[in-house]
Amino acid sequence: MDPLYDLKFPIGQYEPPAVFTDEILKSYINEIKVLPTLIELEVQQLDAHQLDTPYRPDGWTVAQVVHHVPDSHLNAYTRFKLALTEEAPLIRPYNEAAWALLPDVSNTPVNVSLTLLHALHTRWTNLLDSLTEEQWARAYIHPEHGRSFDLRTAAGMYAWHGKHHLAHITRLKDRNNWY
């Protein structure tokens, strides 16, 4: 396999299960719930040089990854709320690569985004914990993919997304012996 693919997708790509069980949904909620703490533990001892190190060639720095996760998950949380309050809403995509280059990323300490991530995930998992079977089946339409995503699938994608970026950080630390 291509070594750059392994650096880009260290845990592989998201594959939804054939059937979403209550146990699977609970595991997604738990993964979303613990993600802020896991990321915080991985970056809390990194210095400025380490935070400014890309996790792969032509990839984001660790700091950009830390700032990206709440950006992405704020969008996800909004998509969930739209799907729960509107009938199959068409969501608005965003240019995540361009967002990573904005001054709020380069001029904000990572602890600010970690605080945001903790608060956001508390709100998000409180919402997820309360969903009924009918609510989990609600969906939003993503115009870039040209299809709808039900909230079960979306929860799995974002649980994966968090682990995906956490692995970018942990694998970089492993490769560089930053422990």
Side-chain angles (χ1 to χ4, degrees):
M1 180 168 283
D2 178 8
L4 284 179
Y5 177 89
D6 288 344
L7 292 175
K8 188 173 183 176
F9 294 102
I11 63 169
Q13 296 195 42
Y14 174 65
E15 293 290 332
V19 175
F20 288 93
T21 64
D22 287 341
E23 291 75 28
I24 288 172
L25 293 174
K26 286 177 186 170
S27 74
Y28 292 161
I29 294 168
N30 189 58
E31 290 167 3
I32 292 168
K33 185 179 290 188
V34 302
L35 178 68
T37 300
L38 296 176
I39 292 177
E40 183 174 19
L41 289 171
E42 290 300 331
V43 302
Q44 66 185 357
Q45 299 300 320
L46 297 182
D47 62 31
H49 170 74
Q50 292 167 325
L51 288 170
D52 199 35
T53 302
Y55 70 88
R56 66 176 171 88
D58 299 318
W60 286 338
T61 66
V62 173
Q64 286 174 310
V65 170
V66 172
H67 292 300
H68 163 72
V69 175
D71 283 347
S72 173
H73 291 193
L74 275 166
N75 276 280
Y77 178 63
T78 300
R79 292 169 183 179
F80 271 72
K81 292 187 76 133
L82 288 169
L84 290 167
T85 60
E86 300 176 16
E87 197 56 45
L90 179 69
I91 60 96
R92 188 167 194 282
Y94 71 103
N95 183 337
E96 60 185 37
W99 283 35
L101 300 175
L102 290 173
D104 67 313
V105 170
S106 57
N107 297 335
T108 304
V110 294
N111 68 310
V112 173
S113 282
L114 290 168
T115 299
L116 175 60
L117 192 63
H118 278 284
L120 172 63
H121 278 227
T122 298
R123 290 274 307 271
W124 193 10
T125 56
N126 284 339
L127 177 66
L128 296 176
D129 278 332
S130 72
L131 296 184
T132 66
E133 189 173 325
E134 294 77 24
Q135 288 172 315
W136 278 111
R138 294 187 64 87
Y140 59 81
I141 299 167
H142 197 302
E144 288 181 344
H145 298 285
R147 70 180 193 92
S148 68
F149 290 86
D150 66 43
L151 297 185
R152 292 177 290 247
T153 302
M157 288 187 315
Y158 286 102
W160 169 88
H161 181 259
K163 293 186 298 186
H164 164 75
H165 285 303
L166 179 64
H168 286 146
I169 297 166
T170 59
R171 304 268 172 97
L172 174 65
K173 287 176 65 177
D174 289 344
R175 289 193 309 276
N176 289 308
N177 296 312
W178 289 349
Y179 290 100

